[in-house]
Amino acid sequence: MLLERTFETLKIIGNERLQLPIFYESPVSLRFETGDPELEIFLTEKKLNPKYLRSALWRTSFLYEKVAPFDTLLWVLYRTPDLDTDVDEIIDRFCRLTHLPSPAEVYQQEVTTAAEDPMTRILLFWDMEDTPPKIRPLFEEIVHSDFKDLGFRELSSAVFFFDTTRHLLFHPYDDRGVDVVGKTTEDIRFLYEDCKNWLLEYDMEQMQTTFAQTKKP
């Protein structure tokens, strides 16, 4: 059931196969810069700036609360033949982090990488209405996920929150940003208008074009 309702929403928002990067593969989407560009990421060559990490966490959490509630959590694990880490241990780590039970549904897909190498995509679903996760520790790990010494690397660009009634997708990918996707521009225009200062400048022209085309009179 979770698989069906999630992929129905993906079909409705125009990213039927959950292709990454989410922003570029979804017709009605916003890309927010959560890592404050005015803050240095590193204080020294090896020491991360805690203020930068706190800022990224705060922005991610703020955006999540603006869009919530969500009914489905999807975590995608990518496994290639050269990876020898234990999948069950990784899933247990995720469940301890989020205070969740074992996933309600698990599916495997055999796919290929961009270089045509074999890869397994494991889809793990939780019903957030039945078993709500602990959001803050999850976001902390996502923000840290791209840093070798800190991160739970399997969370980078791999965690997705869905509202399958409103057909919305919230995707925090790492310390750098969050993508939000809607069925129509009016479903997420409030974010475009209220949080405009955080929209990623690099993709601003595309977002302005998308939201100007159907602007309310």
Side-chain angles (χ1 to χ4, degrees):
M1 178 182 176
L2 299 179
L3 175 75
E4 288 79 4
R5 77 188 194 189
T6 298
F7 275 79
E8 177 63 22
T9 285
L10 284 168
K11 181 178 180 181
I12 288 170
I13 64 177
N15 189 346
E16 191 167 355
R17 295 190 297 161
L18 193 62
Q19 294 293 301
L20 300 175
I22 292 296
F23 175 78
Y24 298 117
E25 298 293 337
S26 307
V28 180
S29 55
L30 294 170
R31 169 157 281 189
F32 293 95
E33 187 171 23
T34 51
D36 189 338
E38 296 184 2
L39 296 173
E40 295 291 337
I41 299 176
F42 288 91
L43 297 178
T44 66
E45 184 178 345
K46 294 184 178 180
K47 183 177 175 57
L48 285 160
N49 183 354
K51 188 174 181 180
Y52 169 83
L53 295 173
R54 287 196 301 270
S55 173
L57 174 61
W58 186 82
R59 287 190 183 189
T60 300
S61 301
F62 182 88
L63 290 166
Y64 177 88
E65 292 299 330
K66 289 277 284 185
V67 186
F70 299 94
D71 55 48
T72 306
L73 170 61
L74 168 60
W75 177 34
V76 182
L77 269 175
Y78 299 93
R79 315 304 295 163
T80 52
D82 60 302
L83 293 175
D84 57 5
T85 48
D86 188 289
V87 170
D88 290 336
E89 289 182 4
I90 296 172
I91 295 173
D92 286 344
R93 180 182 176 185
F94 183 90
C95 291
R96 290 194 304 271
L97 172 70
T98 55
H99 294 207
L100 285 171
S102 298
E105 297 179 19
V106 180
Y107 303 90
Q108 287 195 185
Q109 298 174 331
E110 301 304 321
V111 295
T112 57
T113 67
E116 300 299 320
D117 295 322
M119 180 171 65
T120 301
R121 193 162 82 151
I122 306 173
L123 310 177
L124 304 108
F125 291 90
W126 286 265
D127 187 327
M128 294 178 63
E129 295 177 325
D130 289 343
T131 53
K134 294 291 184 182
I135 297 297
R136 184 178 177 84
L138 177 55
F139 283 171
E140 286 178 343
E141 290 290 347
I142 292 172
V143 165
H144 294 160
S145 65
D146 211 31
F147 300 106
K148 183 178 180 181
D149 295 335
L150 287 178
F152 188 164
R153 296 191 63 81
E154 289 84 0
L155 300 184
S156 179
S157 297
V159 178
F160 309 87
F161 297 87
F162 290 89
D163 182 323
T164 60
T165 300
R166 294 182 294 162
H167 304 301
L168 298 175
L169 166 58
F170 184 87
H171 175 50
Y173 46 91
D174 53 33
D175 61 291
R176 293 168 295 173
V178 166
D179 291 341
V180 181
V181 184
K183 178 182 176 182
T184 71
T185 53
E186 299 315 308
D187 293 324
I188 56 175
R189 184 177 294 280
F190 70 99
L191 283 177
Y192 175 74
E193 294 175 348
D194 294 349
C195 303
K196 203 160 194 173
N197 290 343
W198 295 351
L199 293 173
L200 187 63
E201 185 64 30
Y202 181 82
D203 296 305
M204 182 65 79
E205 183 177 353
Q206 180 175 332
M207 290 184 279
Q208 288 176 332
T209 300
T210 298
F211 282 80
Q213 286 176 346
T214 53
K215 189 171 182 179
K216 292 179 180 178

